[in-house]
Amino acid sequence: MASHMTNYQLPLKPPRKLHSCHFQSRSSCSFNKQEPAQNSTGFQFIRRKKLLSDLTTWGIGGPCNYFVQVFDPTQLVSAVRYCNEQSMRFMILGKGSNCLFDDMGFDGCVILNRIEFLEKIESGVYRVGSGYPFNRFGVVSANEGFSGLEFAAGVPGTVGGAAYMNAGANGQETAAAIDSIEIITNEGESRMLKRRELNFGYRLSPFQEMKDLASITAVTFRLNFSKTAREMQQEYLARRWRTQPLGQRSAGSVFRNPSSMGVSAAELIEKSGLKGLRVGGAMVSNKHANFFINCGSATSQDMLELIGLVKDEVNQKFGVELKE
């Protein structure tokens, strides 16, 4: 999961742009001039050599035009401003666990979020950098006896990404533990938003519709003490290992569970007889039908076609249009 995500629909024939649930700047592109890797910001930009397949859990994607890593909010602001000054499209990536990149790559700048600090404000209150691994934070908080994010130990994204999509499992969701969120805008302005100002829903957050959002930079969580937090987390993790193909390359659940149906997307896919369905190197997992696996050679087109086939079959059989 990168740090920052947007609702999306994956077309069957991918255009040459990013497909992910991460924010993508709407700035226009201009790459006619050859710019040096080193620039006035002091950052080292990598030009056309960084493969996006190396940055995502699906392991799919061509090169990006520019690539840079940032390690604190100040660097992130500088990188965003530089991209704006150069009229360069950009997107901010975390762990890449909810992203499908085109094999042609991304014709802009990918800013890798490495803002990974963890601060203990008071008992049960943590301020965490948006690039901090969400699963690591879940383990830390549960080991210290605090409940609310036990499920996070099994989520291979970042804190910012979890807040952006309101990640959840096992009856828990990220929003319930949030106290405040710090963001920066496309203009480089910093803001802090309290939880009462933010409306979350199932895999939804207000950030997905925030037109001027560049990135979440930090999240403050307020958790409750529980003697059983660590035990509960171990149960959740054991259940994941039993039911999900965690050792294979996937992006987690591809589809949201349909609302008000009492049936999961995985059940609908399985009842449609689609487990094991394969397009090229992309396959519906035999272990969990809502996990689509890169068997080692999957292209973005393979994965898009597989997603489309599954959506069509489930819609024909059950009259349900699955949403990515």
Side-chain angles (χ1 to χ4, degrees), residues 35-314:
E35 297 174 40
Q38 190 75 30
N39 53 76
S40 59
T41 66
F43 294 121
Q44 191 71 32
F45 283 76
I46 297 175
R47 181 74 189 270
R48 292 178 177 165
K49 291 183 180 179
K50 192 65 176 180
L51 290 175
L52 297 169
S53 58
D54 295 336
L55 300 174
T56 64
T57 56
W58 243 333
I60 297 173
C64 53
N65 221 358
Y66 289 91
F67 172 79
V68 67
Q69 299 185 71
V70 295
F71 296 88
D72 60 52
T74 300
Q75 290 183 345
L76 181 53
V77 168
S78 296
V80 169
R81 284 178 174 163
Y82 179 76
C83 290
N84 285 332
E85 289 168 0
Q86 300 298 319
S87 297
M88 186 189 303
R89 246 189 344 163
F90 69 91
M91 62 98 50
I92 298 164
L93 188 69
K95 292 294 183 182
S97 58
N98 262 44
C99 296
L100 176 58
F101 282 103
D102 196 299
D103 296 307
M104 298 300 295
F106 177 57
D107 62 344
C109 181
V110 170
I111 302 171
L112 185 64
N113 181 357
R114 300 291 305 278
I115 305 173
E116 300 179 3
F117 65 83
L118 173 63
E119 299 174 359
K120 299 176 185 178
I121 307 301
E122 58 184 78
S123 180
V125 180
Y126 301 84
R127 179 173 175 261
V128 192
S130 57
Y132 195 89
F134 194 49
N135 50 9
R136 187 189 306 169
F137 176 58
V139 170
V140 168
S141 58
N143 283 347
E144 294 184 355
F146 294 102
S147 177
L149 293 175
E150 288 91 337
F151 80 93
V155 179
T158 58
V159 164
Y164 191 103
M165 72 173 294
N166 192 19
N170 306 113
Q172 295 181 327
E173 62 180 16
T174 307
I178 290 174
D179 183 75
S180 64
I181 295 182
E182 297 164 50
I183 68 170
I184 62 167
T185 69
N186 286 324
E187 301 303 316
E189 176 190 357
S190 298
R191 298 180 193 165
M192 177 182 284
L193 304 170
K194 300 296 289 183
R195 174 64 180 84
R196 62 178 177 270
E197 303 174 64
L198 304 169
N199 294 317
F200 290 86
Y202 173 64
R203 303 299 173 265
L204 294 173
S205 80
F207 303 106
Q208 296 170 10
E209 302 299 327
M210 195 174 291
K211 303 301 183 184
D212 64 341
L213 176 71
S215 176
I216 294 170
T217 54
V219 182
T220 298
F221 296 95
R222 188 174 294 273
L223 306 175
N224 300 312
F225 179 76
S226 171
K227 292 181 179 179
T228 63
R230 190 171 184 278
E231 180 183 351
M232 186 180 298
Q233 184 171 88
Q234 293 304 310
E235 291 177 7
Y236 290 165
L237 283 172
R239 187 184 309 165
R240 279 183 178 268
W241 278 105
R242 287 195 306 270
T243 61
Q244 298 176 4
L246 300 185
Q248 296 176 285
R249 304 209 74 161
S250 79
S253 292
V254 170
F255 299 109
R256 305 178 188 197
N257 291 324
S259 59
S260 306
M261 282 196 63
V263 63
S264 69
E267 291 175 282
L268 293 174
I269 298 168
E270 183 170 356
K271 288 177 179 178
S272 297
L274 300 176
K275 272 190 170 181
L277 177 66
R278 184 162 178 165
V279 176
M283 184 182 77
V284 177
S285 169
N286 283 306
K287 194 170 187 179
H288 191 303
N290 203 12
F291 279 60
F292 293 6
I293 306 302
N294 177 1
C295 298
S297 59
T299 65
S300 58
Q301 184 67 50
D302 291 342
M303 197 61 72
L304 290 169
E305 289 186 9
L306 183 62
I307 289 169
L309 287 171
V310 170
K311 289 182 72 172
D312 289 345
E313 188 67 24
V314 169

Side-chain angles (χ1 to χ4, degrees), residues 306-324:
L306 183 62
I307 289 169
L309 287 171
V310 170
K311 289 182 72 172
D312 289 345
E313 188 67 24
V314 169
N315 196 14
Q316 289 178 19
K317 192 172 183 66
F318 297 103
V320 176
E321 186 174 350
L322 294 176
K323 296 182 179 179
E324 291 85 340

